[in-house]
Amino acid sequence: MASVSTNLTSNKFLLDWVAQKVTLCQPDQVVWCDGSEDENKRLTEFAVSKGILAPLNQEKHPGCYLHRSNPNDVARVEHLTFICTPTKEEAGPTNNWKAPDEAYTLLRGLFEGSMKGRTMYVVPYVMGPLGSEHSKIGVELTDSVYVALNMGIMTRMGKPALDMLGASNNFNRGLHCTGDLNPDRRYICHFPQDNAIWSFGSGYGGNALLGKKCLALRIGSYLGNKEEWLAEHMLILGVESPEGQTTYVAAAFPSACGKTNFAMMIPPKRFDGWKVTTVGDDIAWLRVGDDGRLWAVNPENGYFGVAPGTNWQSNPNAMKTIAKNTIFTNVAVTKNNTVWWEGLDGETPDELTDWQGRPWKKGSAEKAAHPNSRFTAPAANNPILSAHVNDPRGVPISAIIFGGRRSNTVPLVMQSFNWAHGVYLGATLASETTAAAAGQQGVVRRDPMAMLPFAGYNMADYFAHWLAMQKRVPYPPKIFMVNWFRKDKNGKFLWPGYGDNMRVLKWIVDRAHGNVGAQESLFGWVPKQGHIDLSGLDIDPAKVDEATSINEGEWKAELENQKAFFDQFGERMPKTLELIRQMLLSRVA
Ligand code: GTP
Ligand code: SPV
Ligand code: MN
């Protein structure tokens, strides 16, 4: 049997657990990751020698590599993701459930001998700032060098994690094996009661980088409910005014609905002197501080961002962030071995190599880059990285924003009447599905708080937890809803989006500080005429009117449609949310 010995730790719980899993998976060797530069170099070279990574043009993309995943393994697989709580009720109607015994038996069968002829990487990592009481430690055992390298970018990985863990038994146990990538033998199983994750048969992103969606959101949300904090699918940004006052905002948008872009935004010229800084682009852990405010940390240390649509116009800070030391997954490459994707600046090249490594010609009906192609880039590359990303206390949140991708109905921005109504706005969030998950795209579905695929327990209990936070947060953030994606009758976006979202953010910040009035609509507070600053924006005012309009007919249908979603939770559903729905409906009935 491969030796598990290491001089990196003497933690008995960890060593015993690794030994157990070595017995199960039978790898040829075990490699403990220390997170050093040297190790990164060695693993990268190994990955290149095996064809798992290909060096990109090192002049144009220093330290950057391309990875092509199996074409059947390009996105999260929600139908193969399971919450394995003792009872089905604990997982709730919106999660797939397996009994823990059954799941362990099934997966043990798959893991048995699965790493024969392969290396097991032991990847210790911290989610959250080192030494912070908010942070959690995980260890992922994986046979994928791609996963180990990505975890090195996305988390605080290696020796610092083992040092922080010390002799403690309190760490998430993650077991991952690529297997033969047969979708019929692919399972992403979470065991919240055991603080464990077993993932088999996928090498892709959220299925395989266990610190991200599996630990930071699914297990995290379960722990949050127990420990009275919130694990959310939210970006965190700071807005600095010309006077030097910084306001922190957290925003939940579903997958591929604009979090990375919003978190890295550059305000338009009109907002000279205003600055946005990024704390996080995907996940927020929120806790009540001693001062009675809600404080947030970003558990991650890098960005696993959507490539298509990223360009020097839409997101210059992302372009700078991915300029070096970045892994690109499933993008296209040019003749010069530089990266390309749909929506990149400039002319489309006549010829490319597509994401599957096939020759591609301009005008082809197929996309050159996969719509869910991604970059993995270190947060440290981000030119507008907040000075507080490593602050163990996190940052105080003044506003929470919920937003979806809706062609109609939902206006550009709305503020909730109060906390419970804000929770209702989050709980009824709906969005058109995207390429971030396998399955049909562009279908409107309820995605409460952008957490539908990520809640590690019954969503009705999750709503109750959100409602109960009101009593625990004496100075709560104000809650808002936005929609950057409303379309006109020709199918064109009504709102320019990206940097111009600053115009909406400015109103939100002003509202959070009580610096500006608002108009009461039937469904929430909306900006008064002229309060969204449009100066310097070259756009037909009628478009903005349409983007901000509220159509009672559409809302009646929307409110009626929410009922079925609520009803599936039965008695477990908090009455407050259904009462708010009925009250709003009575206004248009
Ligand atoms: P995940 O990493 O999957 O959680 O995605 P995300 O929420 O971070 O989304 P991201 O910022 O990567 O944006 C996804 C897609 O939406 C990209 O193709 C963007 O170009 C596009 N997008 C982002 N912001 C806007 C916007 O304000 N308006 C419009 N029209 N599109 C946007
Ligand atoms: C998402 O789908 O919300 C992502 C990408 O951020 S993944 O890590 O694959 O979940
Ligand atoms: Mn995400």
Side-chain angles (χ1 to χ4, degrees), residues 102-387:
E102 187 197 328
Y104 278 131
T105 304
L106 172 75
L107 275 111
R108 216 173 272 124
L110 296 171
F111 276 108
E112 196 168 1
S114 62
M115 297 189 189
K116 274 185 192 154
R118 299 180 64 84
T119 297
M120 175 191 276
Y121 298 93
V122 182
V123 183
Y125 62 94
V126 181
M127 299 310 288
L130 293 179
S132 167
E133 57 175 336
H134 301 284
S135 298
K136 301 281 178 200
I137 295 167
V139 182
E140 175 166 358
L141 308 180
T142 176
D143 66 341
S144 163
V145 68
Y146 168 81
V147 166
L149 286 165
N150 274 269
M151 289 295 283
I153 298 173
M154 294 304 296
T155 72
R156 285 115 174 137
M157 190 267 267
K159 191 169 181 304
L162 292 172
D163 291 348
M164 189 170 153
L165 179 65
S168 166
N169 190 21
N170 188 8
F171 62 95
N172 178 272
R173 287 155 160 80
L175 180 59
H176 169 255
C177 179
T178 318
D180 60 1
L181 296 176
N182 180 342
D184 295 334
R185 284 193 289 275
R186 185 173 289 163
Y187 297 96
I188 324 297
C189 288
H190 305 70
F191 304 90
Q193 276 78 2
D194 301 340
N195 195 10
I197 305 156
W198 286 23
S199 166
F200 192 91
S202 167
Y204 184 81
N207 303 330
L209 312 178
L210 300 187
K212 195 174 178 59
K213 296 297 157 63
C214 300
L215 172 52
L217 288 182
R218 298 197 189 96
I219 301 285
S221 61
Y222 169 86
L223 293 174
N225 188 36
K226 266 197 356 196
E227 300 167 2
E228 302 194 348
W229 53 280
L230 293 165
E232 298 298 328
H233 193 198
M234 290 178 177
L235 67 96
I236 309 163
L237 61 76
V239 199
E240 196 184 318
S241 73
E243 294 76 38
Q245 183 191 30
T246 302
T247 307
Y248 293 96
V249 169
F253 310 154
S255 301
C257 289
K259 289 183 299 300
T260 301
N261 279 270
F262 197 48
M264 294 188 179
M265 167 185 29
I266 297 182
K269 268 210 180 58
R270 163 70 187 83
F271 292 86
D272 215 17
W274 289 83
K275 228 176 82 185
V276 168
T277 54
T278 315
V279 180
D281 83 322
D282 198 49
I283 298 176
W285 284 353
L286 305 129
R287 268 174 205 268
V288 187
D290 297 336
D291 62 354
R293 291 189 292 173
L294 199 57
W295 289 69
V297 299
N298 168 18
E300 301 190 281
N301 199 30
Y303 311 116
F304 186 62
V306 176
T310 308
N311 62 52
W312 287 101
Q313 202 63 38
S314 62
N315 195 348
N317 286 321
M319 295 302 286
K320 290 178 187 164
T321 302
I322 61 181
K324 60 176 184 187
N325 303 333
T326 296
I327 299 172
F328 293 90
T329 301
N330 295 336
V331 300
V333 288
T334 67
K335 276 190 170 144
N336 297 328
N337 203 20
T338 61
V339 295
W340 194 86
W341 47 77
E342 278 70 19
L344 190 66
D345 313 76
E347 277 288 301
T348 301
D350 291 332
E351 290 182 3
L352 290 163
T353 304
D354 80 357
W355 65 276
Q356 297 188 62
R358 304 173 305 189
W360 183 94
K361 280 200 169 36
K362 188 174 177 173
S364 160
E366 286 191 48
K367 296 206 185 302
H370 189 276
N372 191 40
S373 53
R374 298 245 168 194
F375 53 77
T376 318
N381 282 3
N382 180 355
I384 61 160
L385 188 66
S386 164

